[in-house]
Amino acid sequence: MYPQNNMSFMPAEDLLYAILADLKRTVGEYTTATTESNCSSVRQMFTDLTNDTLRAQGDLYRLMSQNNMYSITSKALRADVDKQIQEARKTQQECQQFIQQKSSSAGGYGQPMHQQGQPSHQHNPYYM
């Protein structure tokens, strides 16, 4: 049994690190589930779960950082970050062009990748 006093079974900082690590792992699993979903409603559910978990992870990280529980080893140079974003956008554009090309050559049987009215994540602080 656990002690009857106010002491928890582990220090709060260790517990927060464990929760943070679990949230990071969960985001990865939800992302995998999203990319492997064939049903649009299941895909949307996993997308929503991913976004909610990312928000929780970000909130916990900020809390830990504000309480000096999480230190950043080094900051990334803005130019390096911009270069990575540019490369990712180029890759995304190439993939979309490839998919459009293959969908067009499939005789009209291809399905569009994006549905109109989907929320944009460009202004979400948890996305790069």
Side-chain angles (χ1 to χ4, degrees):
M1 279 289 173
Y2 295 110
Q4 295 297 322
N5 59 20
N6 290 334
M7 299 285 292
S8 65
F9 67 98
M10 67 189 311
E13 188 171 346
D14 292 343
L15 182 60
L16 292 175
Y17 272 108
I19 293 169
L20 188 65
D22 194 45
L23 288 169
K24 290 177 185 180
R25 179 194 54 78
T26 302
V27 165
E29 291 178 8
Y30 284 156
T31 301
T32 299
T34 302
T35 59
E36 294 183 4
S37 297
N38 191 25
C39 173
S40 62
S41 61
V42 171
R43 184 179 180 90
Q44 186 60 52
M45 177 195 64
F46 279 118
T47 299
D48 294 343
L49 287 168
T50 301
N51 291 336
D52 291 344
T53 306
L54 282 168
R55 274 188 280 287
Q57 184 275 331
D59 292 344
L60 180 56
Y61 164 77
R62 271 190 299 287
L63 174 76
M64 291 175 70
S65 182
Q66 289 169 353
N67 289 290
N68 298 319
M69 293 180 181
Y70 200 102
S71 62
I72 299 173
T73 56
S74 65
K75 294 186 177 187
L77 297 175
R78 185 70 218 180
D80 292 340
V81 172
D82 289 342
K83 181 180 176 185
Q84 291 295 319
I85 291 170
Q86 185 178 16
E87 289 175 8
R89 286 185 178 151
K90 181 181 176 199
T91 301
Q92 181 182 25
Q93 184 179 31
E94 290 170 352
C95 288
Q96 288 172 343
Q97 288 173 350
F98 176 79
I99 291 167
Q100 286 175 348
Q101 181 185 33
K102 294 301 178 183
S103 294
S104 297
S105 66
Y109 294 106
Q111 297 193 3
M113 291 299 293
H114 298 286
Q115 295 177 354
Q116 296 293 0
Q118 289 289 336
S120 172
H121 300 294
Q122 291 176 349
H123 302 290
N124 189 327
Y126 300 109
Y127 289 99
M128 288 198 91

